[in-house]
Amino acid sequence: MAPDSSDENNTFSASSAVPQDVMTISINNVVCNYSLPMHIDLRKLALNTWNVSYDRSGSLLTKQKRHPGCHVKIYNSGKVYIVGCKSEAASRQAARAVGREIQKIMGKTDQRICLRKFRINNILATCKFPFGILIDQVNRKYPKETYYEPELTVGLIWRMTEPKASIRIHTTGTIVVTGATSEADVSIAVEKIYDYVKDFQCDSSKTARNTREPRKRKSASNEAEIKRSKQKMDNVFVDDETSVNWFYFPYFPFLFICMHLVF
Amino acid sequence: MTLNYTMYRSTTLGDALERTLEDFINDGSITPHLAKRMLLNFDKAINQKLNTQINNKMQFKAEKLQAYRFCDNVWTFLMKDVDIRDPTAHYTVTVQRLKVVACGATSRG
């Protein structure tokens, strides 16, 4: 009835919120680094740990962890970089696990070792909007914030300053957020982009490549003639008779194609 | 005297040699110095033979690489459920755990 319909109207008009149940933001990579307040003997660490690779020439030890899956780079100054975790919490967990391993092997279990200056450098996340986006129009409307060079990259790059992030927008509706420093920032960035971009919606099937008509090849007759002429060209070189040229002269298509090749 | 990898002393052959030498030392028939010389000779011989004369190739494929380590130019792999195949002899062995220790090959061979 009337109240119900007005309620429905209210919900539709009031919701400028992103329909989060439709679009899921998947975080693909979290990069963090921290430093341990001690000098690390990389060789000792390499000999007593598995899944490590220590090149003598560098001062760098690389390690891989299974849970949570990530790559770790350790320097003998105590700096540690962790790449490849799928969430902030996992990154933190990995950082503490690595710190604990180093503490054990260096024999400093009696002291309290803290992770100094733990910082998440970069989060890479992707999201797919359920509609296509006309990115050249977006570029025209917001020339300051966006950068679109179709010959260089497929997507449009939007540099956002509010949550500091760099966002790639593709015509299929895929959004890639890089350079964000926290998961909250990522969601804010996606919401902001949604607000900017929802005016430039288009049917995603129109921008999809599959619906483009397949390019037609040239007509078959022409092709067959080209083939025939090629065979004849071979024969011309094999026979060493001067009368050969006169023999092939009446074949008009052969001459026509020859002229094409010359020009 | 050039140094050779001493890792072959822990193989079955090397182990047998070491134990025999130990027995001789305990009997008193050879000096420990001589035993060390013999082991060095063994290193030289086995390195030379393995590099030049032995051409058997075996293939192995494992279900899982459990762990790896690369330190001091030595690779150590721990593998689980390995199928070792000798292509010429059509011979397959399945092993639950396999440990591979690989040292870098010298250029002299």
Side-chain angles (χ1 to χ4, degrees), chain A residues 43 46-47 49 51-54 56 64 66, chain B residues 64-72 76 78:
Chain A
R43 188 158 172 278
L47 288 175
T49 330
N51 299 332
V52 282
S53 173
Y54 175 45
R56 256 304 176 70
Q64 266 180 298
R66 278 193 209 267
Chain B
K64 184 167 178 179
L65 176 70
Q66 245 188 328
Y68 67 89
R69 181 190 290 143
F70 180 63
C71 185
D72 295 335
T76 311
L78 282 181

Side-chain angles (χ1 to χ4, degrees), chain B residues 4 8 42-54 109:
Chain B
N4 290 305
Y8 297 109
F42 167 74
D43 291 334
K44 181 173 154 202
I46 199 162
N47 270 297
Q48 195 186 40
K49 295 300 177 194
L50 282 175
N51 283 336
T52 54
Q53 293 202 332
I54 296 180

